Amino acid sequence: MGNPHVLVVPYPAQGHVIPIMELSQSLLKHGIRITFVNTEHNHKRIMAAKEDDGTGGDQVVLVSIPDGPKFQDNMNRMEQHIEQVYRFMPEKVKELIEQINASDSDKITCVVADNLLGWAMEIAAEKGIKRAAFSAAAATLLVLSSSIPKLIDQGIIDNDGIPTKKQMFQLTPAIPAMNTAHFGWTCVGNEKVQKLLFGNIVRNNISMKLTDWVLCNSSYSLEPAAFDTDPKIRPVGPLLASNRFGDTTGNFWPEDSTCLKWLDQQQSQSVMYVAFGSTTSFDQTQFQELAMGLELCNRPFLWVVRPDAYPAGYQDRVGANGLIVSWAPQQKVLEHQSVACFVSHCGWNSTMEGVSNGIPFLCWPYFADQFHNKSYLCDVWKVGLVFNRDEKGIITRDEIKAKVEQLLENYKYKANALNLKEKVMNSIKGGESYCNFMNFVDWVKS
């Protein structure tokens, strides 16, 4: 048998590409060859954002597959995306495996794919190739997906995944309560797309039974009840570039590293870091309130936002007190001693990165699992506070100022964050996440 050669297939979205790329880089350090598959559009973005060419024997090899057919103009964007991911990508990934195995001495020996791409497990099983699923989200979300039959039996959702009513419920007594309005497949605002998404999740549940491993970018110390509920899910996180003394790879946008020099000039634990991921969007009223709220706090802040979006004259008014960049090297920012707190949408990658650096959170969840991650941050780990909305649904400038002061003037949040950081880092320095990862490496090589 030749050297192990892993084909890595991410879900084609920024928040999914970065952590599975981190897993790939970690496997590479153990002498495992990696071929990483992106759609053509995402491949071009990553290559444009990279400083090197991403090829060579000691690096992850980046390859692309076509994006898919042109869709009708009147077709919902999310519907187009689903068509691409679940109808077109499988055929192209299968062709790629066949092409590599026909011509290459190092044939594909294992497929590692995002857990949302159950079809990749089906292809690997059909070809007799080892297979592992990877979750870029919390283990709790995997438990939610596998609990769908139970939720239908209990009358919480119908057979199409639509909640029978808006309510709070618990998967188990030890997992924080969830709101049925925040299911990932119910947040899209389109019933047809909702049914398509839910149908694919149900199919994925069947495909997941074909996996040899289910890896999760989490730590047992963060959500023990979820891992106890489904022992097949193995924590291997947090997966961070700093843990292998490298740089984050897989970005869709070039990072503006000048902000690190600006952070060097700020006092220790003084800066509010404000970043809402790659998909969050605000209406103009909310955006103005956020901008004015940051100004009102009268503290230094680093804000990741499109430069054409903030109010006229805003940059001049905040002057040296605030720095605005279009995309930041987030892991390096959160490691920086001058950062005091993280104003975040609570995406799982951001949650892992903040927790791993002992940073308290100000939570502004926007979509789906971000609300559940907020529950962990605020109610379970007690390392953050959530912004409350007014009667019009707006988070006001005064609310922003009040919560910033409440978080930063009470040291218990920082103390809890540092305690949680110690637990999480222990898991990757010889603890459960480290052991799971090394066992996985041995299995890939066997």
Side-chain angles (χ1 to χ4, degrees), residues 228-240:
D228 289 342
T229 301
D230 188 349
K232 189 174 181 179
I233 308 170
R234 311 283 185 88
V236 291
L239 291 161
L240 302 175

Side-chain angles (χ1 to χ4, degrees), residues 174-201:
I175 292 177
M178 294 181 175
N179 190 326
T180 54
H182 298 152
F183 290 148
W185 62 86
T186 60
C187 292
V188 292
N190 177 306
E191 194 169 314
K192 182 180 179 183
V193 172
Q194 181 174 313
K195 287 181 179 180
L196 282 171
L197 277 176
F198 183 73
N200 284 314
I201 292 168

Side-chain angles (χ1 to χ4, degrees), residues 3 38 73 111 135 187 208 234 247 260 263 273 275 301-302 369 400 432:
N3 293 328
N38 283 302
D73 290 340
V111 171
S135 173
C187 292
M208 289 286 280
R234 311 283 185 88
D247 292 328
L260 299 175
L263 287 172
Y273 175 57
F301 65 84
L302 171 59
D369 66 308
I400 292 167
E432 185 153 0

Side-chain angles (χ1 to χ4, degrees), residues 192-227:
K192 182 180 179 183
V193 172
Q194 181 174 313
K195 287 181 179 180
L196 282 171
L197 277 176
F198 183 73
N200 284 314
I201 292 168
V202 171
R203 178 181 168 182
N204 277 348
N205 284 340
I206 298 168
S207 305
M208 289 286 280
K209 293 174 182 175
L210 299 170
T211 58
D212 299 299
W213 286 73
V214 181
L215 307 172
C216 184
N217 186 25
S218 184
S219 164
Y220 183 84
S221 58
L222 293 176
E223 36 178 355
F227 290 109

Side-chain angles (χ1 to χ4, degrees), residues 268-316:
S268 177
Q269 293 186 42
S270 66
V271 176
M272 300 182 292
Y273 175 57
V274 186
F276 296 100
S278 58
T279 58
T280 307
S281 61
F282 299 115
D283 65 32
Q284 197 55 37
T285 302
Q286 182 60 87
F287 190 88
Q288 293 275 350
E289 285 297 309
L290 170 57
M292 298 306 171
L294 295 177
E295 186 176 0
L296 197 61
C297 289
N298 199 28
R299 296 173 184 265
F301 65 84
L302 171 59
W303 186 10
V304 181
V305 66
R306 291 192 319 276
D308 59 346
Y310 41 82
Y314 183 75
Q315 186 92 61
D316 293 334

Side-chain angles (χ1 to χ4, degrees), residues 374-394:
K374 177 269 298 179
S375 296
Y376 272 116
L377 286 161
C378 298
D379 305 330
V380 179
W381 309 330
K382 300 188 186 304
V383 298
L385 293 170
V386 65
F387 292 115
N388 294 318
R389 298 177 183 274
D390 68 7
E391 63 279 1
K392 295 178 182 175
I394 297 294

Side-chain angles (χ1 to χ4, degrees), residues 338-359:
S338 70
V339 173
C341 65
F342 187 1
V343 181
S344 172
H345 66 311
C346 308
W348 190 248
N349 288 335
S350 293
T351 299
M352 290 296 92
E353 291 162 6
V355 161
S356 299
N357 286 291
I359 304 294

